[in-house]
Amino acid sequence: MKNITYLLIILFSITGCCRDQIVASYKLSENDKNLIPFEQDSTLSYISQQDISFSAKAQQRKLEIIEERIGADSCDLWAIDVFKSSIFINTFELEFEF
C-alpha cells in the first residue's frame, strides 16, 4: 500500500509540472531606445522656472528583458524589452528613472 501511495505522489508531481515557454516577445526598436537621450555618466544642467541652475548626473542606460506570465497557472511567458536610465539631481537629492 505504501508503494502505491509513493507511486501516485510521484506520478502527480511529474504530470502537474510544465516547462516555461515564451509564446510572444516584444522588442524595442532603435528609434524607441533613442527616446531616452541620456548617455552614461553625463552631466546635465537645468534651469528652474525661478532661474535657479542645478546639475544632474545621468546613470547608465540599460536594457532588461522581463518575462511575464500570461496567467497565474500558465506556463506561457511574454518576453518584454524594458530600456531604463536614471538621473540623480544632487541639489535636491532626487533620482528619476526613465
Side-chain angles (χ1 to χ4, degrees):
M1 185 67 175
K2 287 184 180 181
N3 289 338
I4 294 174
T5 306
Y6 290 127
L7 183 61
L8 287 174
I9 291 173
I10 292 172
L11 180 65
F12 286 127
S13 66
I14 292 173
T15 59
C17 297
C18 63
R19 294 184 182 203
D20 291 341
Q21 180 179 0
I22 296 175
V23 294
S25 62
Y26 301 96
K27 298 186 180 281
L28 292 172
S29 67
E30 288 302 315
N31 289 335
D32 291 337
K33 291 177 186 176
N34 289 332
L35 291 174
I36 299 177
F38 314 114
E39 294 299 324
Q40 178 178 352
D41 297 328
S42 61
T43 302
L44 309 169
S45 297
Y46 293 98
I47 299 176
S48 71
Q49 292 177 345
Q50 294 80 19
D51 289 332
I52 300 171
S53 64
F54 55 92
S55 64
K57 186 170 184 174
Q59 303 296 320
Q60 180 180 7
R61 297 181 343 167
K62 59 185 171 186
L63 177 68
E64 296 178 1
I65 300 172
I66 297 175
E67 293 180 351
E68 230 177 68
R69 294 202 182 282
I70 294 174
D73 296 329
S74 176
C75 294
D76 296 337
L77 299 172
W78 288 344
I80 303 166
D81 284 353
V82 177
F83 197 64
K84 294 181 181 181
S85 181
S86 59
I87 294 176
F88 184 75
I89 301 173
N90 300 328
T91 306
F92 306 111
E93 294 185 8
L94 294 174
E95 185 171 5
F96 298 97
E97 187 170 89
F98 299 92

